[in-house]
Amino acid sequence: MNQIQVGSRLQYFVQSPTTLLLNISVAQNDHQSTSHESIEIEPFHKIEECAVGPLGNRLVRINALPGELTIQYQATVQLHADEVDSANVMESEYEDLPADALAYLNPSRYCESDKLFRFAGEEFGSLLPGYSRVTAICNWTFEHLTYTPGSTGPTTTACDVLLQRTGVCRDYAHVAISLCRAMGIPARYVSGYAVNLQPPDFHGFFEAYLGGRWYLFDATRLAPVGGFVRIGTGRDAADVAFATIRGDAQSTNLEVWADEQQADDHLLDPDNVQTAVSSV
Amino acid sequence: MNQIQVGSRLQYFVQSPTTLLLNISVAQNDHQSTSHESIEIEPFHKIEECAVGPLGNRLVRINALPGELTIQYQATVQLHADEVDSANVMESEYEDLPADALAYLNPSRYCESDKLFRFAGEEFGSLLPGYSRVTAICNWTFEHLTYTPGSTGPTTTACDVLLQRTGVCRDYAHVAISLCRAMGIPARYVSGYAVNLQPPDFHGFFEAYLGGRWYLFDATRLAPVGGFVRIGTGRDAADVAFATIRGDAQSTNLEVWADEQQADDHLLDPDNVQTAVSSV
Amino acid sequence: MNQIQVGSRLQYFVQSPTTLLLNISVAQNDHQSTSHESIEIEPFHKIEECAVGPLGNRLVRINALPGELTIQYQATVQLHADEVDSANVMESEYEDLPADALAYLNPSRYCESDKLFRFAGEEFGSLLPGYSRVTAICNWTFEHLTYTPGSTGPTTTACDVLLQRTGVCRDYAHVAISLCRAMGIPARYVSGYAVNLQPPDFHGFFEAYLGGRWYLFDATRLAPVGGFVRIGTGRDAADVAFATIRGDAQSTNLEVWADEQQADDHLLDPDNVQTAVSSV
Amino acid sequence: MNQIQVGSRLQYFVQSPTTLLLNISVAQNDHQSTSHESIEIEPFHKIEECAVGPLGNRLVRINALPGELTIQYQATVQLHADEVDSANVMESEYEDLPADALAYLNPSRYCESDKLFRFAGEEFGSLLPGYSRVTAICNWTFEHLTYTPGSTGPTTTACDVLLQRTGVCRDYAHVAISLCRAMGIPARYVSGYAVNLQPPDFHGFFEAYLGGRWYLFDATRLAPVGGFVRIGTGRDAADVAFATIRGDAQSTNLEVWADEQQADDHLLDPDNVQTAVSSV
């Protein structure tokens, strides 16, 4: 068990009454619990908290009045990521996939796996099935893309990125998810806080379903996988935007942090960017 | 309450061991129940039935051996679609949308609403909110597209269709869903059997969330909305394919039927293609 | 005959030896001639001038050494745009189009007319053929797009713009060109200097082939058509980039001007943004 | 000098008065001449012949009346393709490219080279410049695509094909052209007759500008490059469609042939699919 202090401070200038939907609270499950969790709004606004879907995404909705607005979230997280011996992790046969995993084979807005069956088959079809094949997909993504802030936008898809060969964390995740799905491996997007991510920011990575369980992967290799604190889980980034704004408000500042408080193992070490771990 | 006899017969030639995932069984909910439901496989194969998601999509999975394969599904359905006075149906404010409806504002594979905010705003932004605005979106879709079998394929999206101006039922639904979401109205895809659809086939239509409830719409105007028997509900057609094939099997024949057995009201009348009804 | 003083000053910081290909010199033809034309490079670099294609685009190629680089072009232009009575300008029948005009019916990189036959047909197919139909295409473009600097980039196409409904001058031209071609009207892109354009900049507009002649159009309505000084003519913006850079150089400043020196008619009046004129 | 008998028979059923624009006549230049050339229309229609552009594309325009229509073209071609020692063929520096070649660096409708700079750079940027780099591009195209009739359509682009990894001859040419342009090598599309192509059909291939001259390439490896009889030359397939139809006519049959009549060298041998030749 590792203990991590996470948080974020979002500042806006609200021009006219605006509803903000925030997905910045850490998810609660058997592998993640929080203590000292708080959300503060300055000036005071009533907030509504709601959970979405069976995956426990936690949303905060604020009807903001015009003026400056600061939202600060923080929590101390007890994280129990399970480290596994990846050599024994096999792919599940299609006929054995549980019903809940099937939807993560479907193409989604930013992961057009339905256009990439042959592409994926040619690049990864001859590899042995299993955890190592998803690693090969991550390696291919890491090697063929260049991490370039600003090179993509909110409507950029995996197919766009496969052609332009640049992107940021969400794009790396979308490419790897698409290639996994095209190979018949259920895959989904995860947003989170990440210990030792430089510069600190919200992070986007993914999970693949292998051998009856979801495993975390990050094709960017920017931070230790075992230190990922889950916020939201979805088909792709469309499902877990950290802030959705209806109205007229401009972001004026964003700070994010994720600091190791107590480490019982090596999972938070900066170099462990490819450890095999599961956190659901 | 109306009673409808629905069914489908799917025939395949299976070249090598193949898994078929079928989504052809009618959904079970407060508005739909079945009697005399059966699924027959010829030659005999064991089947696995599973439900997916909170919406009650029912899947049948078959591990098929090489050779001819016939699947015949049939059911007698008691359908209680609620007819409503649409004049009183308002849009929900964004701040009042329940958490479960929020995901249906997100863009999805075939409904790129994130690219259409201005398009939708210009065409429908000045209309009065409410059921009538979704009707206006359906009318626009009906008037600007030409129903042309074969003009689109499995990877065609709403944006493709908005440019080429032709499509089939799934494309009409994708366009209307995308425009609804871009206007802030949650919308989702529904597959089903449809009484009085000519020629008989599986049908695709959609639901929009208005005034605290989901309402059925069909921009094709090809069949009475009150006679739609729900099979599956999802983000878009990607979620409710009636057959997904992993392996090597060719479809050799498809028959679909949906026959009125007993009608207590006018909802099944062929002309009632724009009635305001809700069936969940 | 009107006399216009045009010019541009381009400044770069060249990191390593770089070739610049500039298309900023005004075209020479029966309707445009120059006096006092000069191009100055600071510091001194040898330049190569070459003409491309039958349309007389004039290119300047510079092999630039590292350091600051300033290119200043200026010319006094005698412009003889012919004003016409558009009521008498008809479309040419396809069978009568001269061979040289046929290529301007083909789709090009940023003008995917081959995807828009039905779109164009539905919007403009019932209108009377002739100059007025191209005017209708310009009006539609003007009314459905919002001029938004920064909303598009170098790879944005007409189809992208038709969906997102925003763009700048090159996008307006691409949309109108695409719709013209889809209607069977040859259309091509023209870059130029524009009198009374605010803020001053290079401008992009288009020409349509009607009744045996090319006519100028500008769907942005930002400047008087009769004051357009032609630089380059091409399939679309891909053919007439004002600067193409091979190497490593950053633009540090750009100034463009086009000032009326002597006006013999009303063609340069700021309001004459829809005059029917031909300048080739 | 090799002598080849080429021809094509196109049959249509014309529903209403229709203009056909055919690009099926072989080009005339220093490397290609014809004897016994004829074009027969059954029933008799007057035809108009015109040449387009500096590249000598020859068009035939027919205003067809309703009914059956057969067009038969044939010619005996004297073909002088120059075989070269490719080891000595270098790329031209950008600063040395002649003005006429520059347009073939621009992206075009089906060759979106402007989206592929990084892609091309990563795959081919470290290779030695010269003829061998274009060969590497052809090899990459050959190895990553599967030749699949029917897998693409008239609006399919190089980027589409790079993702779906299947196509026909025009798609192979578009991919290779796009990658060449993205590497700074001018490249253009050529349509033609091809000796020893199985099954016989019109063929699409390409030319790259290297060391001051255009060289023929064919990434499909389906027929000997030295036996290609040029019909049309253009930016991409949009410029050299063998038949463009305005009106209402359906193709009912198409036959194409290209038979060796006299061979003075080995260039027509079926295996010589990668010979270095130039024919302009």
Side-chain angles (χ1 to χ4, degrees), chain A residues 61 97 109-110 114 235, chain B residues 61 94 97 109-110 114:
Chain A
R61 187 154 46 184
L97 287 174
R109 174 65 184 101
Y110 304 120
D114 53 335
R235 304 279 186 101
Chain B
R61 186 154 46 184
Y94 182 64
L97 287 175
R109 174 64 184 102
Y110 303 120
D114 52 336

Side-chain angles (χ1 to χ4, degrees), chain B residues 161-200:
Chain B
V161 173
L162 281 171
L163 294 168
Q164 78 178 50
R165 298 273 180 102
T166 61
V168 296
C169 61
R170 72 174 241 151
D171 304 302
Y172 279 66
H174 288 158
V175 165
I177 288 169
S178 301
L179 294 172
C180 284
R181 290 180 189 167
M183 289 306 297
I185 304 169
R188 63 191 187 189
Y189 191 91
V190 185
S191 65
Y193 295 94
V195 173
N196 281 317
L197 178 66
Q198 290 303 333

